[in-house]
Amino acid sequence: MDKILQAAQNHKKPESVKKYQYGTAGFRMNANILDSVMFTTGILAALRSKYLGGKFIGIMITASHNPPQDNGVKLVDPMGEMLEQHWEAYATTLANAASPEVLVKEVRELIQNLKIDLKVPSNVIVARDSRESGPVLQQAAVDGLVAMEANVKQFGVLTTPQLHFLVRNHNTGKPKVETSYYEYFSTAFKEIYQLIDGDSKPPIDIVIDAANGIGAPKVEKLFDEYLKGKIHSYKVINDKYTHPETLNSHCGADFVKTNQQLPQGISAIPDKLYASFDGDADRVVFYFVNSANKFQLLDGDKISTLLARYFIKLVEQTGLKLSVGVVQTAYANGSSTNYLTQNLKLAVECTPTGVKHLHHVAQKFDIGIYFEANGHGTVLFSENLIEQVSSSSDEHAFKKLYYFTQLINQSVGDAISDLITVLLIISDLQLTPTEWNSAYADLPNKLAKVIVKDRTEFKTTNAERTLIEPKGLQQKIDQEVKKVQLGRSFVRASGTEDAVRVYAEAKTQEEVIKLSEAVCELVKEFAA
Ligand code: G16
């Protein structure tokens, strides 16, 4: 404990911060006030590893879609999934220790309560995105790890899903270097590519907006070095990851989804497909402009419905009895839910925001498809399915399904893996962007942000669809919803930004704007 006490003198919690909170995706805020949090998160990662008998734990330093001045940190569990939820509370407790002495006391208590054997070695791998504050904050996390005498492996700059993938590989005896990521996914891609009918296969052609983030060099590496000749034409724009001040600025998945417009740098050719990653490449959305030059978004809902439709067909072709389900959040467009339940006759579940919630529910199915509307998601395949398709026969459908279980990142939503999955599927189905989009028409919708004094006053239930506090606000929202056709609206505090989010949808654009404005006004009124 002496080492912690000593090292903590250089990483004291700033008095100005009221409370740190492990939120939707870890701690996330202005980078200037994150030093002590990085240090305590390093300590917790080492404890988590010891608690799990020395398994590798990941630390990812990123603020994903947030602006350049922010940063954040999250912990990754051994199979590449998000930190187990009980431990989020421990992370919050350590981060809020008011002094080095209190921190040591909290660490002692945790060790005692969880019966952690300090003699067990701890193994932690660390990576960061391309933010300017990354190296200094990484050092603070490493200081925490060193104080705990952990074995530390630093990977430098990676996408978030690459770190998740490497954590899983470290714990499953698979290759443990960054290149294993490209080798693994490109091998699966090439296998499926070969299985798609050669003569009719349309050429793969894509423009990727990389949000000026770390996804740019990583996807270029995959395409140039591992998928040469398979991607017929591609271009990465907003690729200035060495200029971190440009990160997510007027570009990237969050900008495109929220503003429902093209990112900077694209003047779109009608019916040609474009994609946007977010800052750490764990989200992707697609889009195009139609023949009338109108922007058309193919967001997480359009991705999950495309995948659902494709996998149902593939399962049918194998003749296997496999369960297929889709998991969404309240942000899913009402039309997508209708399409899934009514046209595809699928089970659809709704969870609170945060892929950690969706991931667990998706594990119930043989094929569990989960996507947030913002483009964050993946498809999980059960052991049962993998066993059946790998041993059965060498018919195309079995083989395809088998290689999709490898092409789609099993640990977390991954913009690069999702991108190449979608590109293969639309090539296999011979779909143009217009045809992909035509499965159903989105209800007009709007996502707005309201800045309030204390967003923690906004408490929800029913998978975040109903507010329980501030008291009386939900009833007022319900009254506004009734005033428009096919209206729906909900309000929740963001777990990654200092804001309250307001979602609204309705039958027409005019009605959605009216509803959104009315609910935003109510939020301001009740927050005062
Ligand atoms: C993170 C989470 C997502 C969530 C998003 C917004 O994404 O991983 O699950 O949808 O934040 O969350 P909130 O509305 O609570 O701010 P990312 O891509 O920023 O890591």
Side-chain angles (χ1 to χ4, degrees), residues 96-220:
N96 287 298
S99 67
E101 290 72 22
V102 177
L103 177 63
V104 167
K105 182 181 133 292
E106 301 285 9
V107 171
R108 276 215 176 92
E109 275 180 25
L110 209 54
I111 292 168
Q112 228 169 28
N113 294 345
L114 298 172
K115 301 192 178 41
I116 296 173
D117 182 354
L118 288 181
K119 290 195 292 300
V120 173
S122 49
N123 296 297
V124 179
I125 69 179
V126 189
R128 62 174 199 275
D129 71 14
S130 55
R131 283 163 200 268
E132 199 176 356
S133 56
V136 169
L137 292 177
Q138 179 161 337
Q139 189 51 52
V142 170
D143 286 354
L145 291 163
V146 169
M148 289 295 294
E149 298 176 356
N151 302 316
V152 188
K153 213 165 157 183
Q154 297 187 63
F155 272 93
V157 185
L158 291 180
T159 70
T160 293
Q162 285 183 316
L163 187 272
H164 283 255
F165 174 85
L166 286 168
V167 170
R168 190 179 172 105
N169 272 17
H170 274 74
N171 288 305
T172 49
K174 305 249 172 71
K176 300 175 179 65
V177 286
E178 186 188 332
T179 50
S180 55
Y181 175 91
Y182 308 108
E183 276 154 15
Y184 184 79
F185 291 106
S186 61
T187 302
F189 182 98
K190 286 186 217 155
E191 292 288 349
I192 300 169
Y193 185 86
Q194 255 187 0
L195 290 165
I196 297 176
D197 186 7
D199 297 337
S200 50
K201 189 159 48 195
I204 294 178
D205 175 12
I206 186 78
V207 173
I208 304 156
D209 150 34
N212 291 320
I214 189 58
K218 306 299 185 188
V219 76
E220 280 173 349

Side-chain angles (χ1 to χ4, degrees), residues 232-446:
H232 302 93
S233 150
Y234 91 95
K235 193 172 169 198
V236 181
I237 61 149
N238 297 321
D239 59 349
K240 294 178 196 56
Y241 73 101
T242 54
H243 291 268
E245 71 284 1
T246 61
L247 184 70
N248 296 324
S249 173
H250 300 280
C251 59
D254 202 61
F255 173 87
V256 171
K257 166 76 182 159
T258 312
N259 298 293
Q260 307 197 16
Q261 70 179 69
L262 293 170
Q264 69 180 14
I266 289 185
S267 105
I269 298 167
D271 216 19
K272 179 176 160 56
L273 192 63
Y274 299 83
S276 282
F277 292 174
D278 68 343
D280 61 340
D282 61 0
R283 296 192 208 173
V284 63
V285 294
F286 296 84
Y287 42 89
F288 65 102
V289 296
N290 64 15
S291 51
N293 237 4
K294 193 164 176 274
F295 175 81
Q296 305 287 318
L297 182 65
L298 297 157
D299 62 1
D301 299 336
K302 291 275 178 178
I303 299 171
S304 75
T305 47
L306 172 76
L307 301 185
R309 164 184 166 190
Y310 184 78
F311 284 117
I312 290 174
K313 207 164 142 211
L314 211 47
V315 169
E316 258 172 37
Q317 287 166 9
T318 63
L320 295 172
K321 287 242 162 321
L322 297 166
S323 60
V324 183
V326 176
V327 190
Q328 304 186 312
T329 70
Y331 291 110
N333 196 279
S335 297
S336 73
T337 317
N338 284 343
Y339 173 77
L340 289 165
T341 52
Q342 288 164 25
N343 295 49
L344 301 185
K345 311 276 180 234
L346 280 181
V348 177
E349 301 215 16
C350 183
T351 73
T353 300
V355 279
K356 57 192 177 196
H357 301 296
L358 291 95
H359 191 94
H360 290 297
V361 178
Q363 282 170 329
K364 291 198 319 203
F365 303 99
D366 287 313
I367 301 182
I369 301 162
Y370 74 82
F371 270 86
E372 295 185 301
N374 62 23
H376 203 164
T378 192
V379 183
L380 299 180
F381 299 95
S382 70
E383 285 300 322
N384 166 44
L385 176 147
I386 294 171
E387 225 169 83
Q388 295 197 54
V389 293
S390 51
S391 59
S392 280
S393 97
D394 51 36
E395 272 174 58
H396 270 198
F398 281 91
K399 272 196 173 172
K400 266 191 204 164
L401 198 47
Y402 175 68
Y403 286 112
F404 271 113
T405 68
Q406 302 190 350
L407 185 68
I408 306 181
N409 194 327
Q410 293 298 285
S411 50
V412 78
D414 180 340
I416 294 179
S417 155
D418 289 341
L419 172 82
I420 56 179
T421 298
V422 166
L423 292 177
L424 279 177
I425 288 179
I426 57 173
S427 171
D428 199 5
L429 296 175
Q430 302 189 27
L431 287 181
T432 63
T434 302
E435 287 161 353
W436 170 11
N437 193 36
S438 67
Y440 64 88
D442 270 329
L443 282 172
N445 60 90
K446 188 165 170 55

Side-chain angles (χ1 to χ4, degrees), residues 24-25 28 63-66 74 278 280 282-283 331 353-355 372 374 376 492-497 501:
T24 312
R28 208 176 274 190
S64 196
H65 75 274
N66 290 46
K74 66 179 171 187
D278 68 343
D280 61 340
D282 61 0
R283 296 192 208 173
Y331 291 110
T353 300
V355 279
E372 295 185 301
N374 62 23
H376 203 164
R492 58 175 282 278
S494 162
T496 61
E497 293 173 56
R501 299 200 196 281

Side-chain angles (χ1 to χ4, degrees), residues 504-515:
E505 70 183 33
K507 193 170 178 191
T508 65
Q509 194 60 30
E510 295 67 41
E511 284 173 304
V512 94
I513 288 168
K514 187 176 145 203
L515 179 59

